């Protein structure tokens, strides 16, 4: 029996998934489920929300599978869908609500948070496209070419985004380091 | 980054986590159940030729029939586009797996619409006791994310949006209209709404007056309004920065909710962040939506719903309820038996001060006494009937 290469196996799974085989689609994305979930966790900071997000992304990916070119890498394709789903989830009222604590007047909130500045809070304050770039590169350790594919830009533009993200984060880091 | 890089990696790791075996098993099971049937690729394989025929040949044929079923192209050729409006007859549909998500539109005390997972539209004229599936348009490409707004039991609008480009730098969209409860959908030739920024929050107060939010992460939102049923739109002045909030390049967005009209008074909730802490605000307009002014801050531990112009209600993720009757100046605890398994705040809509609905993870609860007592009702399309529902 001829050995089946990774590309051939992936393409077979893709064909079966296109034909309606959900288990095949599960196998197709199985190897990238871990980085997808870690991306969602880092972006959303909530396990239940991350699970919902990755599940929804999985179904959207299945729906979009006809746009997935044979021979392409599954990871950047699926991570891009997860990242988009994270943005949608972050925009939704649901996500904001579940991350809330009790109501406080704005002035008090400002004082409390001024006392609690740390790197995690600095990450919270980052624009989400910056957080996404940092997560892909520094947490998931994707090569810059793959980061660029997830972000939908050139490798050069991805480097610029990372640079800007770090620059935006640096004031928070300085505050943290200085404490 | 250099010396700070390990710190950053640790901070990112601290926010992260691995998928649990239970989640992996649940996802595998859900995928095995073949959930996305209504718009799935398997179905597309079968329907591809039909869709192509409709798109290429059916356009002319159906246009000649005068049915208006094939709509004009939207502003962008790459945006969502209706290619057909099938009727439910002959549809095959596998039950949508729970948990899922649902949107509600409650235009009057008896009529309520639900859109489940962007795939299943249903109408009830008896407060959700019985549901009737109603047709949705078939779109070019994959089914886009949808928002709906109905003003009665037969007239409504769907806002379909394409993928965001950048962080809401641009987003294609389409607006569809029905006057026969979805039997036919007409894609409106929308003028006035730019392709820049994200769009959401479609809401119609009547057959002429409607609203759509246009916003991104670094600009104050603008509320577009129409007075001709959705064909032409005009931008409002940007929402003002609410007290304590200032939108900046590194700040969170101010995310508008859905406009609610009470006569000439328009109310709009919005969510923002102050120093990383979520905040909720209400804006009002008394000039038809041309300008908006800050009205009140709102406790953020729940989902806000307007019962009347000065009477607002909020259900929290821990099932607690509060209410204000003076436009947010003061809030009181509100006795409510609302309970849910999910520890997240539901989305709540009130048709009037007494009849309202809450939905979370696809489940739907109904109240007919202003939110004191709730009953879980069937979510159409899921095949799930709650105990006692």
């Amino acid at each position: 029996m001829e050995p089946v290469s990774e590309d051939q196996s992936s393409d077979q799974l893709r064909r079966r998934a296109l034909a309606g085989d959900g288990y095949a689609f599960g196998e197709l994305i199985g190897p990238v489920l871990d980085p997808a979930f870690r991306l969602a966790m880092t972006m959303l900071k909530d396990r239940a929300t991350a699970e919902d997000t990755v599940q929804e992304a999985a179904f959207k990916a299945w729906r979009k599978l006809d746009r997935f070119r044979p021979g392409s890498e599954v990871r950047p394709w699926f991570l891009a869908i997860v990242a988009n789903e994270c943005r949608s989830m972050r925009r939704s009222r649901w996500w904001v609500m579940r991350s809330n604590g009790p109501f406080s007047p704005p002035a008090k909130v400002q004082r409390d948070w001024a006392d609690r500045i740390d790197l995690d809070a600095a990450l919270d304050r980052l624009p989400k496209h910056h957080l996404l770039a940092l997560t892909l590169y520094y947490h998931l350790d994707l090569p810059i070419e793959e980061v660029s594919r997830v972000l939908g830009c050139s490798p050069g533009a991805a480097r610029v985004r990372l640079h800007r993200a770090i620059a935006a984060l640096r004031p928070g880091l300085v505050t943290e380091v200085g404490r | 980054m250099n010396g700070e890089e390990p710190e950053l990696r640790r901070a990112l790791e601290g926010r992260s986590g691995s998928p649990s075996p239970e989640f992996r098993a649940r996802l595998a099971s859900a995928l095995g159940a073949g959930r996305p049937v209504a718009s799935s690729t398997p179905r597309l394989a079968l329907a591809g030729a039909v869709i192509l025929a409709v798109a290429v040949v059916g356009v002319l044929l159906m246009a000649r029939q005068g049915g208006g079923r094939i709509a004009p192209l939207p502003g962008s050729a790459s945006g969502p586009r209706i290619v057909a409006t099938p009727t439910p007859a002959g549809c095959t549909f596998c039950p949508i797996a729970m948990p899922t998500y649902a949107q509600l539109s409650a235009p009057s005390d008896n009529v309520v619409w639900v859109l489940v997972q962007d795939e299943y539209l249903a109408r009830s004229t008896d407060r959700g006791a019985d549901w009737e599936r109603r047709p949705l348009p078939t779109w070019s490409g994959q089914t886009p994310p949808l928002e709906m707004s109905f003003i009665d039991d037969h007239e409504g609008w769907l806002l379909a949006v394409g993928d965001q480009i950048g962080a809401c730098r641009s987003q294609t969209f389409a607006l569809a209209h029905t006057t026969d409860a979805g039997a036919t959908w007409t894609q409106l030739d929308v003028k006035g709404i730019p392709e820049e920024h994200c769009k959401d929050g479609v809401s119609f107060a009547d057959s002429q007056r409607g609203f759509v939010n246009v916003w991104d992460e670094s600009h104050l939102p603008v509320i577009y309004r129409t007075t001709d049923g959705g064909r032409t739109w005009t931008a409002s002045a940007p929402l003002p920065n609410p007290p304590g909030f200032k939108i900046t390049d590194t700040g969170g967005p101010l995310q508008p909710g859905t406009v609610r009209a009470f006569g000439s008074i328009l109310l709009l909730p919005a969510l923002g962040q102050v120093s990383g802490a979520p905040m909720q605000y209400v804006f009002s307009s008394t000039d038809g939506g041309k300008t908006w002014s800050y009205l009140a801050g709102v406790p953020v531990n729940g989902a806000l719903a307007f019962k009347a112009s000065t009477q607002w209600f909020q259900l929290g993720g821990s099932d607690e309820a509060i209410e204000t009757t003076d436009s947010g100046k003061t809030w009181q605890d509100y006795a409510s038996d609302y309970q849910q398994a999910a520890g997240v705040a539901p989305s709540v809509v009130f048709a009037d001060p007494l009849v309202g609905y809450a939905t979370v993870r696809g489940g739907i609860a109904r109240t007919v006494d202003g939110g004191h007592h709730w009953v879980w009702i069937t979510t159409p399309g899921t095949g799930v009937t709650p105990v006692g529902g």
Side-chain angles (χ1 to χ4, degrees):
Chain A
M1 184 175 167
E2 287 287 318
V4 178
S5 72
E6 192 173 326
D7 281 353
Q8 284 174 322
S9 172
S10 174
D11 194 46
Q12 285 170 3
L13 290 173
R14 188 186 71 87
R15 288 168 188 271
R16 283 169 50 199
L18 274 170
D21 185 340
Y23 293 108
F25 185 73
E27 282 188 55
L28 187 68
I29 63 168
V32 299
L33 196 59
D34 186 75
F37 188 81
R38 287 195 286 141
L39 172 62
M41 278 291 289
T42 310
M43 297 292 291
L44 301 167
K45 286 181 70 178
D46 182 274
R47 176 166 289 276
T49 309
E51 288 181 354
D52 285 351
T53 300
V54 172
Q55 176 167 313
E56 194 52 37
F59 282 108
K60 287 187 176 173
W62 193 6
R63 290 176 192 146
K64 295 179 176 180
L65 190 58
D66 58 339
R67 301 183 197 175
F68 178 70
R69 293 194 309 276
S72 301
E73 289 182 59
V74 173
R75 188 167 68 176
W77 172 73
F78 186 55
L79 289 183
I81 295 171
V82 171
N84 202 41
E85 196 62 24
C86 286
R87 282 193 287 263
S88 297
M89 187 63 78
R90 288 193 71 101
R91 289 203 327 270
S92 74
R93 178 171 301 269
W94 182 31
W95 179 83
V96 174
M97 289 308 156
R98 71 180 306 152
S99 67
N100 289 339
F103 173 69
S104 302
K108 181 176 186 306
V109 169
Q110 284 181 321
R111 281 201 305 275
D112 286 350
W113 278 78
D115 293 336
R116 292 167 50 194
I117 290 174
D118 57 22
L119 189 51
D120 192 49
L123 289 169
D124 279 341
R125 288 196 301 271
L126 271 186
K128 301 317 159 206
H129 56 284
H130 285 344
L131 178 59
L132 173 61
L134 291 176
T135 300
L136 295 171
Y137 190 72
Y138 287 105
H139 182 47
L140 300 186
D141 287 322
L142 302 192
I144 196 70
E145 291 75 16
E146 198 168 336
V147 171
S148 71
R149 270 180 275 167
V150 176
L151 297 178
C153 62
S154 68
R159 285 194 189 87
V160 170
R161 286 199 195 185
L162 278 167
H163 177 77
R164 287 180 177 164
I166 291 168
L169 187 64
R170 198 176 296 277
L173 282 173
V174 169
T175 302
E176 173 64 15
V177 170
R179 289 180 68 200
Chain B
M1 204 61 194
N2 299 329
E4 294 153 345
E5 182 185 319
E7 192 70 20
L8 172 59
R9 289 183 185 275
R10 277 195 292 275
L12 290 168
E13 183 65 38
R15 302 163 67 97
S16 188
S18 296
S20 66
E22 293 78 13
F23 171 65
R24 286 181 181 274
R26 197 165 65 243
L27 179 61
S29 173
L31 288 170
R35 180 169 143 190
V37 168
S39 59
S40 67
T41 44
R43 192 183 222 194
L44 282 178
L46 181 63
V50 175
I51 291 173
L52 192 62
V54 169
V56 176
V57 180
V59 168
L60 297 175
L61 180 61
M62 295 178 77
R64 280 186 62 189
Q65 292 171 341
R69 292 179 175 83
I70 301 302
L73 289 172
S76 167
S78 61
R81 181 167 55 89
I82 296 177
V83 295
T85 55
T87 62
C91 286
T92 57
F93 193 88
C94 295
I96 294 170
M98 295 282 252
T100 180
Y101 55 93
Q103 299 174 47
L104 296 165
S105 181
S108 64
D109 63 347
N110 284 325
V111 176
V112 59
W113 290 80
V114 64
L115 177 60
V116 184
Q117 200 174 289
D118 296 338
E119 296 176 2
Y120 193 104
L121 178 66
R123 173 186 66 182
S124 173
T125 55
D126 56 10
R127 301 177 176 176
D130 301 290
W131 293 99
E132 175 192 7
R133 187 181 181 191
R134 301 302 303 167
L136 282 168
T138 298
W139 300 87
S140 58
Q142 305 297 315
T143 301
L146 300 174
E147 284 191 9
M148 66 166 177
S149 177
F150 280 85
I151 58 169
D152 54 30
D153 63 349
H154 59 272
E155 184 169 14
W157 290 258
L158 283 175
L159 175 67
V161 294
D163 289 340
Q164 297 174 29
I165 306 299
C168 277
R169 195 169 69 242
S170 69
Q171 185 179 48
T172 58
F173 70 98
L175 190 64
H177 178 225
T178 182
T179 56
D180 53 14
T184 55
W185 288 95
T186 302
Q187 187 170 336
L188 301 178
D189 184 14
V190 173
K191 291 183 170 58
I193 299 180
E195 199 161 297
E196 288 76 25
H197 310 309
C198 284
K199 291 92 187 170
D200 61 16
V202 64
S203 169
F204 276 78
D206 52 42
S207 62
Q208 302 300 310
R209 293 185 301 153
F211 307 89
V212 166
N213 308 325
V214 176
W215 63 283
D216 69 7
E217 293 198 2
S218 54
H219 295 86
L220 288 164
V222 169
I223 313 303
Y224 279 73
R225 64 190 186 281
T226 178
T227 54
D228 63 3
R231 286 172 176 77
T232 57
W233 296 78
T234 307
S236 72
L239 296 188
N241 275 308
F245 178 94
K246 185 166 174 51
I247 199 155
T248 64
D249 181 49
T250 55
L254 184 62
Q255 184 195 340
T258 302
V259 172
R260 182 76 193 268
F262 296 97
S264 61
I265 298 173
L266 304 177
L267 298 177
L268 173 67
L271 292 158
Q273 289 189 356
V274 174
S275 300
M279 304 295 295
Q280 188 165 200
Y281 312 98
V282 174
F283 296 85
S284 69
S285 173
T286 54
D287 58 7
K290 292 176 188 167
T291 59
W292 294 87
S293 55
Y294 169 80
L295 185 57
V298 178
V300 286
N301 58 345
L304 181 67
F306 300 115
K307 293 180 176 180
S309 62
T310 59
Q311 187 181 11
W312 311 343
F313 175 84
Q314 193 172 59
L315 265 182
S318 304
D319 305 338
E320 72 280 9
I322 54 175
E323 187 177 74
T324 176
T325 55
D326 55 10
S327 299
K329 292 184 180 69
T330 59
W331 290 84
Q332 296 81 39
D333 288 340
Y334 192 85
S336 173
D337 65 2
Y338 179 85
Q339 286 188 318
Q340 63 182 22
V344 297
S347 294
V348 182
V349 294
F350 273 88
D352 61 27
L354 294 177
V355 179
Y357 304 87
T359 180
V360 62
R361 294 189 172 182
I364 303 172
R366 176 192 63 210
T367 179
V368 294
D369 61 4
H372 290 298
H373 300 95
W374 295 84
V375 176
W376 289 93
I377 59 178
T378 298
T379 299
T382 64
V384 176
T385 301
V387 176

